[in-house]
């Protein structure tokens, strides 16, 4: 039987050499490392010249470790050898001229710089695992995630009920639904906004990483509109602005809460992530504008009813109208819009940068 040389493909990393022998259905494998740092390969199988016995030898450029890992499949034989020292070789063999049967394995091939980046990524991953193993695990982590999951689920269901109720009534009654929005959805909105106070408490307890002040600005602002403007003034409860405020709030929240809910179980839906970080860009400013309209419409009512007015000494006048406080609140409202918009935009930017790094 004629002895032939198979096609051999090679690639390297700083610490390893990969050889792929183009020999299918290999039998009687004999792979060894000789004392002169030469790899000796002999096997019977189907190669470029059909079923024959194939063999080759390679004297490596630098010393390698004696352990040889190999795996034979129906299509090829894969050999992995560790270098004695982790360094990049200029070539595979000691002899300057490359053997005719040897060629680069482009499926594994990396330049030195690419291999260094791969090695660095592996080291960073190992270091991260090492650090995580040293960090003390929170024994209450499961309980915290369970609480946050249930909170976000309840809020999602509440705002979904408001959104669906208002949408159905809009399609059935048209513009007439604008005037009784408060009476049909106020109880659920009261419940959701009182629950939202927990979003101010959660950062203080370290349950979430979001900031305390952005959460406080949003929750306090909404509760002023809901409880002070709409809840205390019957004249405001039949105005169309209630519809637009409630509809914009619920539209934002039916995407925000399920996003956080899924984050509690380390799950992500790309479409939901995009909606959560994109819809607020037009909806959040529109919501603030609708709230500002509600405040402006309430000013003459507070002046007329003197509700929440502060009594003053006789020399200064009868009372200080609550409408002056609301005018100051209008200024603070748009300042809060700037603060929250900036905070949310930074969140969006960090999120997409993080996803881009993972893809790379």
């Amino acid at each position: 039987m004629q002895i032939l040389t198979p096609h051999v493909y090679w690639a390297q990393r700083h610490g390893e050499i990969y050889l792929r022998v183009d020999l299918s259905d290999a039998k009687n494998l004999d792979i060894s490392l000789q004392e002169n740092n030469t790899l000796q390969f002999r096997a019977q199988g189907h190669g470029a010249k059909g079923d024959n016995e194939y063999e080759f030898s390679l004297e490596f450029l630098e010393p390698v470790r004696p352990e040889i890992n190999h795996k034979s499949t129906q299509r090829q034989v894969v050999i992995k050898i560790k270098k004695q020292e982790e360094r990049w070789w200029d070539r595979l063999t000691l002899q300057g001229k490359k053997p005719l049967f040897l060629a680069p394995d482009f499926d594994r091939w990396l330049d030195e710089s690419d291999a260094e980046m791969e090695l660095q990524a592996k080291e960073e991953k190992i270091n991260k695992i090492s650090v995580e193993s040293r960090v003390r695990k929170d024994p209450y982590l499961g309980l915290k995630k369970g609480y946050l999951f249930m909170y976000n689920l309840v809020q999602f269901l509440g705002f979904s009920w408001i959104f669906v109720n208002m949408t159905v009534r809009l399609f059935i009654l048209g513009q007439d639904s604008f005037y009784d929005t408060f009476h049909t959805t106020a109880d659920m909105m009261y419940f959701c906004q009182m629950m939202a106070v927990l979003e101010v408490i959660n950062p203080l307890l370290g349950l979430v990483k979001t900031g305390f002040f952005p959460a406080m600005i949003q929750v306090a602002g909404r509760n002023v509109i809901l409880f002070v403007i709409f809840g205390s003034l019957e004249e405001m409860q039949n105005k169309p602005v209630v519809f637009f405020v409630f509809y914009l709030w619920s539209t934002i929240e039916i995407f925000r809460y399920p996003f956080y809910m899924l984050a509690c179980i380390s799950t992500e839906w790309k479409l939901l992530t995009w909606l959560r970080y994109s819809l607020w860009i037009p909806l959040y400013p529109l919501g603030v504008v609708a709230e500002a309209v509600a405040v402006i419409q309430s000013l003459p009512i507070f002046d007329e009813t003197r509700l929440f007015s502060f009594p003053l000494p006789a020399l200064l006048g009868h009372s200080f109208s609550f409408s002056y406080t609301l005018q100051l609140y209008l200024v603070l409202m748009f300042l809060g819009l700037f603060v929250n918009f900036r905070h949310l935009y930074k969140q969006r930017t960090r999120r997409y940068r993080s996803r881009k790094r993972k893809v790379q």
Side-chain angles (χ1 to χ4, degrees):
M1 183 179 291
Q2 186 180 7
I3 297 178
L4 303 169
T5 304
H7 293 301
V8 181
Y9 303 91
W10 80 285
Q12 69 168 318
R13 298 295 185 268
H14 283 82
E16 298 165 336
I17 298 168
Y18 300 100
L19 299 175
R20 179 166 59 86
V21 184
D22 191 9
L23 192 65
S24 59
D25 298 322
K27 300 176 182 177
N28 302 324
L29 275 170
D30 182 13
I31 306 173
S32 60
L33 188 66
Q34 306 299 319
E35 293 182 358
N36 59 355
N37 202 43
T38 300
L39 177 73
Q40 192 73 38
F41 176 94
R42 183 189 296 269
Q44 185 176 343
H46 187 85
K49 299 294 184 179
D51 289 323
N52 280 293
E53 186 174 342
Y54 292 84
E55 68 175 32
F56 70 87
S57 61
L58 289 171
E59 186 177 0
F60 294 119
L61 179 65
E62 295 186 11
V64 295
R65 297 184 183 180
E67 300 85 7
I68 300 174
N69 295 321
H70 65 87
K71 181 180 179 181
S72 178
T73 67
Q74 292 182 347
R75 299 181 56 187
Q76 59 195 7
V77 179
V78 179
I79 303 172
K80 179 180 174 182
I81 303 171
K82 290 186 177 293
K83 298 177 181 178
Q84 197 76 33
E85 296 182 8
E86 291 193 2
R87 59 189 302 271
W88 196 258
W89 293 1
D90 295 331
R91 60 182 187 272
L92 179 63
T93 58
L94 185 62
Q95 64 186 78
K97 187 178 180 181
K98 179 178 70 68
L100 295 177
F101 62 87
L102 188 64
D105 186 353
F106 291 108
D107 291 337
R108 285 182 174 269
W109 193 265
L110 288 179
D111 292 331
E112 183 176 4
S113 58
D114 294 332
E116 288 177 353
M117 291 177 63
E118 183 185 67
L119 183 63
Q120 184 179 1
K122 287 182 179 179
E123 290 176 351
E124 288 177 355
K125 186 176 180 180
I126 293 171
N127 291 336
K128 183 179 179 182
I129 294 172
S130 177
V131 170
E132 289 177 350
S133 65
R134 291 197 300 268
V135 174
R136 184 180 177 184
K137 291 185 178 180
D138 187 352
Y140 302 105
L141 183 61
L143 186 62
K144 292 176 181 178
K145 286 189 174 183
Y147 155 71
L148 292 173
F149 180 88
M150 290 304 301
Y151 167 76
N152 288 294
L153 175 61
V154 170
Q155 289 290 72
F156 168 64
L157 294 175
F159 279 105
S160 295
W161 185 91
I162 296 170
F163 179 82
V164 172
N165 182 289
M166 294 177 65
T167 302
V168 171
R169 290 177 60 82
L170 178 63
F171 277 103
I172 296 175
L173 302 176
Q175 293 186 5
D176 291 339
S177 66
F178 292 175
Y179 303 99
D180 63 351
T181 298
F182 185 85
H183 301 289
T184 56
T185 60
D187 290 341
M188 183 60 72
M189 188 62 78
Y190 280 145
F191 172 78
C192 290
Q193 283 307 124
M194 285 190 291
M195 285 280 291
V197 175
L198 293 173
E199 295 184 26
V200 181
I201 300 174
N202 290 338
L204 295 176
L205 299 178
L207 297 176
V208 294
K209 296 180 180 179
T210 54
F212 165 75
F213 286 104
M216 185 186 68
I217 290 171
Q218 179 172 321
V219 173
R222 285 190 178 183
N223 284 345
V224 167
I225 299 299
L226 178 61
F227 292 98
V228 178
I229 304 297
F230 295 153
S232 63
L233 297 178
E234 291 186 9
E235 296 89 338
M236 289 296 299
Q237 293 173 5
N238 296 323
K239 291 185 179 293
V241 69
V242 178
F243 174 88
F244 293 103
V245 170
F246 283 12
Y247 205 72
L248 288 167
W249 286 358
S250 60
T251 303
I252 292 173
E253 304 302 17
I254 61 174
F255 297 108
R256 185 169 74 98
Y257 284 115
F259 171 81
Y260 289 134
M261 184 174 65
L262 293 178
C264 293
I265 56 175
S266 303
T267 303
E268 180 183 3
W269 292 349
K270 290 184 179 179
L271 178 60
L272 181 61
T273 301
W274 182 86
L275 290 170
R276 187 266 179 272
Y277 284 106
S278 299
L279 278 182
W280 66 267
I281 296 176
L283 293 182
Y284 185 65
L286 286 174
V288 174
V289 170
E291 294 171 19
V293 171
V295 172
I296 293 170
Q297 289 182 350
S298 71
L299 295 178
I301 302 175
F302 279 110
D303 284 334
E304 181 181 350
T305 61
R306 313 304 295 177
L307 185 65
F308 302 135
S309 295
F310 301 100
L312 296 174
L315 293 175
L316 298 177
H318 295 294
S319 62
F320 181 82
S321 176
F322 185 66
S323 64
Y324 296 126
T325 305
L326 290 179
Q327 291 175 41
L328 175 62
Y329 174 72
L330 274 175
V331 177
L332 296 177
M333 182 186 295
F334 285 97
L335 179 63
L337 168 64
F338 171 76
V339 172
N340 254 350
F341 197 90
R342 187 166 175 266
H343 170 73
L344 291 169
Y345 186 79
K346 283 184 176 180
Q347 271 192 336
R348 183 177 187 268
T349 303
R350 285 197 300 267
R351 182 78 185 182
Y352 282 103
R353 281 179 180 174
S354 176
R355 286 183 63 183
K356 188 176 180 181
R357 283 196 296 268
K358 288 180 180 179
V359 171
Q360 290 176 343

